[in-house]
Each structure stands twice: as C-alpha cells, then as structure tokens.
Amino acid sequence: MLEISVGASASMEEKGYWFKFQSFSFPRTVHVIDPWPQAEGRVVELIPVDGVLPVNQETCLKMWSMWCAGEEKRVGTRTVVVGHRPVSETDAYVAQKFCDNRIVSSKYTLWNFLPKNLFEQFRRIANFYFLIIFLVQVIVDTPTSPVTSGLPLFFVITVTAIKQGYEDWLRHRADNEVNKSNVFIVENAKQVQKESEKIKVGDIVEVKADETFPCDLIFLASSSSDGTCYVTTASLDGESNFKTHYAVRDTTVLCTDEAIDTLTATIECEQPQPDLYKFVGRIIIYRSNQEPVARSLGPENLLLKGATLKNTKKIYGVAVYTGMETKMALNYQGKSQKRSAVEKSINAFLIVYLCILLSKATVCTTLKYVWQSNPFNDEPWYNEKTKKERETFKVLRMFTDFLSFMVLFNFIIPVSMYVTVEMQKFLGSFFISWDKEMYDEEIKEGALVNTSDLNEELGQVEYVFTDKTGTLTENSMEFIECCIDGHKYKDCISEVDGFTQTDGPLKYGKAEKSREELFLRALCLCHTVQIKEADQVDGLIGHPERKYTYISSSPDEIALVKGAEKYGFTFLGLENDFMKIRNQKNETEMYQLLHVLNFDPVRRRMSVIVRTTTGKLLLFCKGADSSIFPRVQQEEIQQTKVHVDRNAMDGYRTLCVAFKELTQKEYDKIDRQLNEAKMALQDREEKMAKVFEDTEADMHLIGATAVEDRLQEQSAETIEALHTAGMKVWVLTGDKMETAKSTCYACRLFQTSTELLELTVKVVGENERKEDRLHELLMEYHKKLIQDVPKNRGGLKRSWTLSQEYGLIIDGSTLSLILNPSQDSSSSNYKNIFLQICLKCTAVLCCRMAPLQKAQIVRMVKNTKGSPITLSVGDGANDVSMILEAHVGIGIKGKEGRQASRNSDYAVPKFKHLRKLLLAHGHLYYVRIAHLVQYFFYKNLCFILPQFLYQFFCGFSQQPLYDAAYLTMYNICFTSLPILAYSLLEQHINIDTLTSDPQLYMKVSDNAMLQWRPFLYWTFLGAFEGLVFFFGVYFLFQNSSLEDNGKVFGNWTFGTIVFTVLVFTVTLKLALDTRFWTWMNHFVIWGSLAFYVFFSFFWGGVIWPFLKQQRMYFVFAHMLTSLSTWLAIILLIFISLFPEILLIVLKNIKEKSHQVSKRLPSSGTSTIFMLSQTSSNHSFSWSE
C-alpha cells in the first residue's frame, strides 16, 4: 500500500501545498503551484497490480491530478505527452491513439459515390415513382417502351449526379490542398518537413509568420522574448482584428529547435469540443533534479487550426487536437439543411396530379371491362384470344391493365421539373453574386451565396431580425466625450494641457486634477490593446504622427485608448509584464500588470490589477453601467448616471470606469484564488466567474465614457423600405436600452408617432412582485392592441399596421422571465400573450440579448400559426445562432469578422444591400419559380389529356396517341429550355421599379402565386387546351381523306398533328408570358420550335434515310403536304391561346379605366398578365 499524506507547508514562502509519497524505497516530495485545501488531512490507498507498484513522478502527478480541487469525478480528459518523450525512462511509453490530421469535408468517395448518390436521389418521391414505372414497363407488357420513362429518369439522375459530384470534387480538392500542405515538425532537435495530414497529437510544430496553424496547438514559445504572438481568426469566427496569445510561462525561453527538444512535459486537457472561446487544461513540466511544475492552460494558450500567425517570425506549439477533432472541424459539422416553402407547394400539387393519374387509370380500366362485356368487343373475329390469355385470372388481367394505363398516363407527373428547379436555383444564384450594385469597393467583395436552395424564399419574408452593432451601424468607434465625478469633458484643444480647455463643462465646474489623471490612467491601463509598428501591419490605420498602431479584438478599446491619448495620456505598450504610459508632463510611467480579468458577455465588464512603482496595488474596471453600478458606492452613482443616460439617449455607447485600491493581503488572497480557479479542469469558467465576482466588489466610480458608432449609410432608408414592403423588423442587440432606442429612432424603425410599450427591468422592477407586475403589463398591452382594436375586414394583405403604430421594447431578463417562468407562477400563458402583442407591433426592439436568446426569439416567431418566413441578419459570431435558426440567414461581411457570413445562406457587404436582395432578387426569383412550377404541371396536363381522351376512341386498348420518341423527348428537349431561360431571365417588372416601389413586394407575399386558386386556374387552362387539341383534330378527321388524291391519314398522323399543336401552343404560351426579351429567350423559344420540326423530319426518315423501317416514316412530311392540316394547326393554336389574349386585353382596359398603375396581378390570375401596367415607364403590356 502506498500512503499519501497531505498537509499545509508552513515553511514554503509561496504558501503552496505539498504531499509526500512514501513507498518501499522511493521517497519523493512534489511541489504543487496551486493551493489544495480540500485535500488536507486525507489519506489515499493505492493497491498494487500483480504485486508490482510502480511509483514515479508520473504516478505522483496522476494522483495529484485525481485529487485536485473538486475533481474527484472528472471524466472526458486526454493526456498528451509533449514531443512523445516519456516522463520516466524506466517506464515503457505507450502512445495513446488519436485521430490523424486529415480534414474530410467531402460527402462521397470514388467507391461509394454511385450507391450513396443513387440512394439519396431515389429518396425523392418523383424519382422513386418513375423508377417503379420503369420497372413495371420492363416486367409487364405495356403499350409504351421502357425507354419512354427510363430515358427522362436517366437524364434527371445523371444531371443531378454530375452537379453533386462536381460540388463534392471541389470539396475533395479543397481538402487535399489543406491535407497535403507542408509543415515543419521538430524531431531530435531538427526540423523535419511533413505533410499536414501526418501530424500526430504530441508533435511539436513550428509555424512561421503568415502561415495558418495546421491543427490546434498549445503555444510553447515564440520568436518574441515576452512569449506572445499575434493571430487573426478571420477564417474561424470572422474576426479580422489581431488577438494576442501567450506562451506557457516556463517554456517561453525555449525558442530554438534544440531548446524546445529538451522539454519534457505532459498536457492534460478536456476532450475536443466545438466552442472556439473555451479551453481548459494544464501542463506539467518535468525538470531534472527539480520538482515538477504545473501551470494552467486556457484559451489564450491555444492556437486554433485555420487561424493565421501575424507579426511574429515563428512560434512553437504542441499538437493537442488534430484533423476532425480540431475546433474548426467540429464547428463545420451539423449545419441543418433548410428547405424552401415552394418545395412544400410542389409536393402538394404533385399529390393532386397523382390522384388525377390514379383516377384516369381507374376510369380507363373500369370502362375497358365494361366495353369488353360485349363478347364481340372482347373477342372480334379478326383477333381471337390465345389459350394463355383465356386461362389468365381476370383479377390479374385487370391489375396488369391498370398498371398499363398508369404507364401510359405517367407523364402527367413532371419528373424533369425537379432537375429544372435545381438548375434554376443553382444558375440563378450566380446572378446574385454577379450583381455589381451589391459590390463593395471598400472591402473589394460582393454578395456571396452559400445556399442556392432558398432564392425564392427571399421573396416571401415576413419578419426580419437584425443585429444592431456592425449591422445597422458601422462598428467604427470614435471617442466623443467623458464625464469624471459628474463633470462633462469634451473636445480638448491642446493635448499638452489635457483637460484644461473644454467646450464648456456642465454647471459643476471641473473635477480635481488627481481624479482626472486617475480616470485617464484607468483608460490607458484597463484594456487588452497591443501596439505594433505601423509599417508592419497591413490595412490598419495608424496615427500619422506616431510610428505605431493600436491592435485589439474590440474597436471600443482602441477608441478609448485614442481618447486618452487625445487628452495627453498615451499608452506605449506592454513589455515584460509592465505597461508603459506617457503622462501629460511627457514622463513615462510603469505599471506591473499582475492580472487581467477578461471581458465576457455575461459579466459585461473587464478589469486589470496593476502595481505602481511605489508598490501600490490598484484594480481598474470598466464595463456597462448595469454591471458597474451595483458594484460601486451607491452615493457616487447619481452624478454619473445623469450623463450616462443622456449619452445613451443621444445614441452613444457608454462605459463606466471604476477602481479600488488593494492591500497586499487582499491581493494575495485574490492571487491565490485566481490561480486555484485557473488550474481547475472541470467547471473552470464557473470558478473564475466566482473569483471575478468577489474581486470586482466595493469599487469607487470615477466616471464614464461615450463612444459613437455611426449608422451605416442608407440603413434608415432600407428599414423604411422593408416596412413599406410589409415586413416587420425586429432589432435584437446586446446593447443597453437607451443606446439601442436612439439608434432605432435614427434608422426610422420607430417613428415619432410610434407609441412605445416597454417590458424592461426598469418598468417591471426587480423585487419579488416582478412576475405579478409583468402579468399586469402583459394584460394591459394585450387589451390595448388586441381586444380594443376593431377586426380588420379584407383590405391589403399583411395589414397589421393599425391606425396607431405600436413599438415594443423588451430586455433579456424580462424575456427570460416570459420564456422560462418560475414553477409556482400561473404564467404558462405569458408566452402566448407576449407573442400576440409582438405580432401586432410594427417594430420590436430586444436589448441586452444573449446570443441564445436571439435564437429563442426567432424560433418563437417561426413556430407561430401560419409559419411566417423569417430572416435573420447579423455580422458577428454572437449572431450565428439566430442566423442558423431563421428560414433565411444573411451575414454582413463586417468588422466583427466572417463567422456570421460563413454560417449564413447569403452574405452581403452592407445592410443597405438587403433592399435589393429582397425587393428585387427575392421578388423576381419567387415569381420565376412559381411560374416554372405551374407551367410544368400545365404543359404535362395538356400533353396527357389527349392521350386519355384517345382511349375512348380505341376501345381502351392502351394504344399510345404519340410516338415513343415524342413521349421521351417532350419534357427533355422540346419544352425544357424555354422555361429554364424564362425562370432565369424574366423581369415582369423592371428591377429599378421593384427597388423603388417596395409595396410591389406585398403582391406576391404569403406564397400568393402557389396557392390553390392560381393552381386551379392553370389546371383548367391545361384541361381546356387539351380538349381543344384533341377534339379540334378529331373534327378535322371527320373527313378522313385529307389529300387531293384521296389517300387516308392514319392514327400516327392524328397523334402527330395533336403533338405539333401541343408543342407550338405551350411554347407560344410562354412567349406570351415573357415580358423581358433577351437574345437568349429568342434563341431558346424559336430554337426549340425549329428543333422540333427538324427532329420530326429526321425521325420520319427525310433527313436520315436509314430510319425507313419504323412507323413514323415520312408521316410528318406527308402531314404537311395537306393545306387543311396547316389551317387546322394555326386555327387550333389561336383558339387555345385566345382566352389568354382576351384576358390580357380586358385587364388592360380595366386598368386604364381605374387608372391603377404599378400593380401586380391578384393571386387568382396567371403570371402572364403580370406586367400589363399602362402608366409605368418600366413595364410593358400586351396591348402596347
């Protein structure tokens, strides 16, 4: 048994703890850096395994780890041996198994592409249906060749497979670029070049400036003597600002290959998890003849794969997570597939047409057996049955007949529509990317489409959820003013004199000189800004008079440091843990930086602890007023609060600054607690937060700052346009209420006439009765907005605008009260009442929102009755959750980085580009795809109805009306390209008109063109034209001799005339619908008709004489020799299209009489009349 006794060491100056391992002949004392009070007085037993008890440094450290503060039950960690050097030479080193460093973002491999892709494609109901029909044609004796359904299916499957295969090949290529890139690994004190995919966990990797990190590394040493390096994580979270990372304190000196190779250490850290901003671990460093030393590791020590090293010559790091276990790879997985509402409409229409198909087959099968009940019809003298036919079961015969009719009519289901829709979406997305008006000169980028499946959804948006900072505003901060002890300071004139000249402080006069200096020192010291030589940093704007540039992950911090510089206190940088500042007298002051209590969105503040040259210990803290005011002396608040509130009303971002002086004893306690929390592997964040909470208490308020974040250009006009288009705009921000409110007024979300309803802590209160008060307010607002308002009768769609406009303001804490009420309260219906209020308001502002709450709000609206289409727009990592939650996610390529734009469906450079994206592109893509879907069903009904009617005249014998070649080619060649060109190029209203008149957007809202009324209109139109085609030709054939020589035309001629009228009518129908003619439209429409004529001559053996043997030989050519055939074709095309032309003319007359301009058709009319406005310069009408 091994006994471990634990106790406090009074002799150690560090006030650390020790524990002694006493074994047979192996005494050893291990010194532990962090304190360990919970273990005091405990005795641990170790049972020998197979009679052997190995006791060495590693065992000791493992025992210590197991007993470390509160971690008895710790699981889910990994141990990494640095450089694969075992800790003890006596022990055999067994390498742990970790995944390799290959990145795999592709979906298929060469071997599984075919089966996997086919499986995915046949999960689509239309593809599966056609496969069944094809198999029926192969197995059962059916009237048409299996080629007629097999070839279109093969075409659709092949085109889709090629598209998906190409996309996957691009992913493979990108993966190989990363996996085969060269990296340098330190082995035996030498650099060895390897491919990135061969990196193993534990390898020491060298990375040079401007290279990306090949895997997740723990930062050990760098070329900088202070052990820091600068990193940009733009490809991870989009943040283009420089971040500073720190090497482990004990390894900073190991900055050569030889030195780093001498390191013996193990790293214990958590198992891989996707959060980019969290990492918990510790490193244990072993030195010969010295006690092992343990140090804590956090996110500041972890260099992430995909990030880029900047302004540092080289760094050394040890690989802890590789390949698909890196944080970058874990973040790329699990993005849910979004589907558009149009697909749901297609499926509904498909079911209707499936029912039509089944009913046609059932009717024909039934009538066949009714007709055959007459023996003469069943078995005429010229066609006696065989013995096999007589012996077949009648039920089986009926079933095969039913299947034969199904096969004959199966073309009513448009299988090629799916591939046309996919091509339309895929090719259409390029038009958005190519839009020059959405190109931003500043960042040299245009719009980006990440998901082409949602183009038409952009035309159906009802709710827009937008972030504020960086989305509505520039995220470009400028220091405006500050107040110290209630005295306002603004726009100094002389930098040397500092604050001595101001533009008229308020009535209080000036603060004491010492307080002014304390405030400015706080601004100079309380931040994480770094300094770099200006000439080394690309794209960062330095001060023309200085030789350096400020670098920070937050634009606010740079604004505050520049603000202090404007008033005579300049931050000169951090060197060897000492912060240097130059004061107003041009003297350099040094402050030792002891601890940084980092900013986080929950605390909403950050602090530093520094020691002055005289030994005085100071804590400076800056943060939001809501997080600073409760932690300072209450009597100091009021004088500063006045300024903070006024600045917030002016739309400025405000921060409060506080400080406190620490005694040595207080500091020692804080230092011990911080180190203890940093060493924890489990619940490190909670423990750190507890220490921060205790440390940042009983402070003294010095003053507050005001920083301006300007509105983006045209953001107000964009919001106004979205409002006019019938969209409700909600602003979801983490900012304080007053700042957000003034921004909302500035960008015209709230009008001066808007009555604001508040549900905030200020109104609800924070006492025990807050739930009762909230209930009262909800009931009051509900009565005002819903119960007291007369019901809207008819009128405009989306007529949510009441005679009085209402706006709602809610904050995060009240929202959590509504969404997560306490168990004992009768508040389960809070959410429903709140939602009803929200839906009646024209604009909603949610402030003090956590990222998760933003997503909750979007989900809540998304799941309401009617499932309104939601759109989220944001620019930072904190907006990703709401971007992924909404139906359509838009990322702004802003200063907060690219994580939002990477996770979005569409990315645009500025908020103003949303106007064109929705009002023009969205509107047009919806109209185009709606027309495409309706047209496909219409032309297939026109195609198959004559085939159905023909059965009544051929004894229901399943005789095809059309030749097999025509059946096969109809959807693939003769009618596919014109509708594809239309769906990509059509502009039924000029783009400028759509952008300048947002009300037009409302005319196609609520899926107006894919409702049952327009669907039934198209269906009746198809049925009418099908009847005209068949019976028109039928009456022509009443005189069976159509030639001068008395020769009789046959059934194939009959079918060919019907087919010719059909092809010309449906193509000319599309020409009639086209309002925006380009050379491409002319080419595909007239080209398709010419190709049909050419193919008919070719197939009839006129052009290709070797086709003499088949039934269509010279049929088409013969048909055209008859004058009556020509007249019939022209007349039937005109009769078919006559109702369309008549409706267009009537519509124009009606519009002129009502003098209504710029109006789209109602949901019950065809898209063909869509642009018959008479008073618009940008539109055309048939009558013109």
Side-chain angles (χ1 to χ4, degrees), residues 916-1098:
K916 189 173 184 188
L917 187 68
L918 298 184
L919 302 186
H921 288 292
H923 185 121
L924 288 174
Y925 276 115
Y926 173 74
V927 169
R928 289 164 183 171
I929 204 157
H931 198 285
L932 183 150
V933 169
Q934 301 279 29
Y935 179 79
F936 253 97
F937 282 111
Y938 147 82
K939 76 183 176 76
N940 278 32
L941 183 59
C942 291
F943 179 42
I944 273 326
L945 188 62
Q947 176 78 73
F948 170 68
L949 296 169
Y950 187 57
Q951 296 308 304
F952 289 83
F953 297 88
C954 69
F956 304 99
S957 61
Q958 296 137 20
Q959 168 66 30
L961 175 63
Y962 312 116
D963 180 64
Y966 287 157
L967 281 171
T968 309
M969 302 282 278
Y970 178 70
N971 275 321
I972 297 177
C973 299
F974 301 149
T975 60
S976 59
L977 283 177
I979 184 61
L980 180 63
Y982 176 95
S983 65
L984 287 170
L985 304 168
E986 174 63 0
Q987 292 177 29
H988 61 286
I989 301 178
N990 184 283
I991 284 185
D992 294 336
T993 310
L994 284 173
T995 315
S996 59
D997 185 1
Q999 282 192 332
L1000 291 169
Y1001 189 87
M1002 271 196 279
K1003 307 293 182 180
V1004 296
S1005 63
D1006 304 323
N1007 205 9
M1009 291 175 60
L1010 287 173
Q1011 298 292 355
W1012 290 109
R1013 270 183 71 187
F1015 174 70
L1016 289 172
Y1017 170 82
W1018 281 89
T1019 305
F1020 283 124
L1021 189 69
F1024 165 75
E1025 290 180 8
L1027 289 165
V1028 170
F1029 301 157
F1030 182 81
F1031 286 108
V1033 179
Y1034 177 74
F1035 288 123
L1036 171 72
F1037 267 66
Q1038 293 305 302
N1039 172 16
S1040 58
S1041 175
L1042 293 175
E1043 293 186 78
D1044 297 337
N1045 59 8
K1047 191 174 178 183
V1048 178
F1049 276 173
N1051 66 320
W1052 294 116
T1053 309
F1054 180 86
T1056 305
I1057 296 174
V1058 172
F1059 192 79
T1060 304
V1061 176
L1062 162 74
V1063 170
F1064 272 79
T1065 303
V1066 296
T1067 307
L1068 291 173
K1069 162 84 170 75
L1070 196 64
L1072 203 61
D1073 292 352
T1074 304
R1075 294 284 171 269
F1076 185 76
W1077 285 91
T1078 65
W1079 68 266
M1080 184 78 78
N1081 296 85
H1082 283 292
F1083 177 75
V1084 293
I1085 285 176
W1086 314 124
S1088 291
L1089 294 176
F1091 176 73
Y1092 164 67
V1093 174
F1094 169 82
F1095 179 81
S1096 297
F1097 279 121
F1098 168 84

Side-chain angles (χ1 to χ4, degrees), residues 181-379:
S181 60
N182 291 324
V183 292
F184 290 98
I185 291 167
V186 178
E187 287 179 3
N188 303 321
K190 287 180 188 163
Q191 281 189 22
V192 179
Q193 187 171 317
K194 286 189 180 180
E195 288 178 346
S196 173
E197 63 184 5
K198 296 198 173 142
I199 295 175
K200 294 201 260 325
V201 170
D203 282 347
I204 294 174
V205 181
E206 181 184 308
V207 180
K208 295 186 172 67
D210 298 317
E211 291 180 354
T212 55
F213 301 116
C215 56
D216 290 353
L217 305 166
I218 291 295
F219 181 20
L220 296 175
S222 82
S223 53
S224 309
S225 56
D226 57 354
T228 59
C229 74
Y230 301 97
V231 165
T232 57
T233 54
S235 61
L236 285 166
D237 58 8
E239 298 191 6
S240 52
N241 299 307
F242 284 42
K243 294 186 176 71
T244 311
H245 285 258
Y246 302 91
V248 180
R249 199 187 317 165
D250 304 70
T251 61
T252 48
V253 291
L254 309 173
C255 47
T256 62
D257 297 344
E258 294 76 18
I260 201 79
D261 201 52
T262 61
L263 176 66
T264 305
T266 57
I267 291 169
E268 265 193 80
C269 58
E270 61 190 359
Q271 290 292 5
Q273 52 106 343
D275 193 326
L276 295 174
Y277 309 105
K278 283 187 183 164
F279 175 72
V280 173
R282 55 175 164 245
I283 183 168
I284 300 145
I285 300 159
Y286 303 90
R287 300 191 182 104
S288 53
N289 306 320
Q290 287 183 37
E291 293 161 358
V293 172
R295 299 277 182 213
S296 67
L297 299 172
E300 69 279 0
N301 309 114
L302 184 70
L303 304 170
L304 299 175
K305 178 184 176 71
T308 308
L309 184 67
K310 291 284 182 188
N311 299 105
T312 312
K313 283 181 186 169
K314 66 172 183 180
I315 65 103
Y316 293 102
V318 58
V320 282
Y321 305 128
T322 50
M324 299 309 286
E325 291 184 339
T326 57
K327 288 184 182 282
M328 183 178 86
L330 294 173
N331 268 282
Y332 279 155
Q333 293 162 6
K335 189 176 170 184
S336 63
Q337 185 69 34
K338 293 179 181 179
R339 291 272 170 214
S340 76
V342 168
E343 286 197 28
K344 294 170 190 165
S345 298
I346 292 175
N347 291 338
F349 299 161
L350 209 61
I351 290 165
V352 171
Y353 269 67
L354 203 57
C355 293
I356 293 173
L357 171 65
L358 290 168
S359 58
K360 277 184 178 180
T362 309
V363 166
C364 285
T365 309
T366 309
L367 291 175
K368 177 175 182 172
Y369 282 91
V370 169
W371 192 75
Q372 287 182 352
S373 59
N374 181 335
F376 175 75
N377 291 339
D378 187 30
E379 197 173 352

Side-chain angles (χ1 to χ4, degrees), residues 703-747:
T705 61
V707 171
E708 184 183 26
D709 186 7
R710 287 189 300 277
L711 272 185
Q712 279 192 23
E713 61 169 325
Q714 292 181 33
S715 59
E717 289 84 346
T718 305
I719 284 189
E720 213 164 31
L722 299 181
H723 258 300
T724 313
M727 286 175 251
K728 292 189 184 181
V729 183
W730 293 30
V731 174
L732 313 181
T733 177
D735 258 6
K736 68 192 304 271
M737 189 189 88
E738 289 78 12
T739 309
K741 193 164 140 187
S742 65
T743 305
C744 288
Y745 274 113
C747 66

Side-chain angles (χ1 to χ4, degrees), residues 79-93:
T79 303
V80 177
V81 179
V82 178
H84 310 290
R85 260 183 301 286
V87 173
S88 167
E89 293 174 13
T90 56
D91 282 0
Y93 167 60

Side-chain angles (χ1 to χ4, degrees), residues 31 295 465 708 875 901 986:
H31 177 221
R295 299 277 182 213
F465 300 93
E708 184 183 26
D875 71 318
S901 60
E986 174 63 0

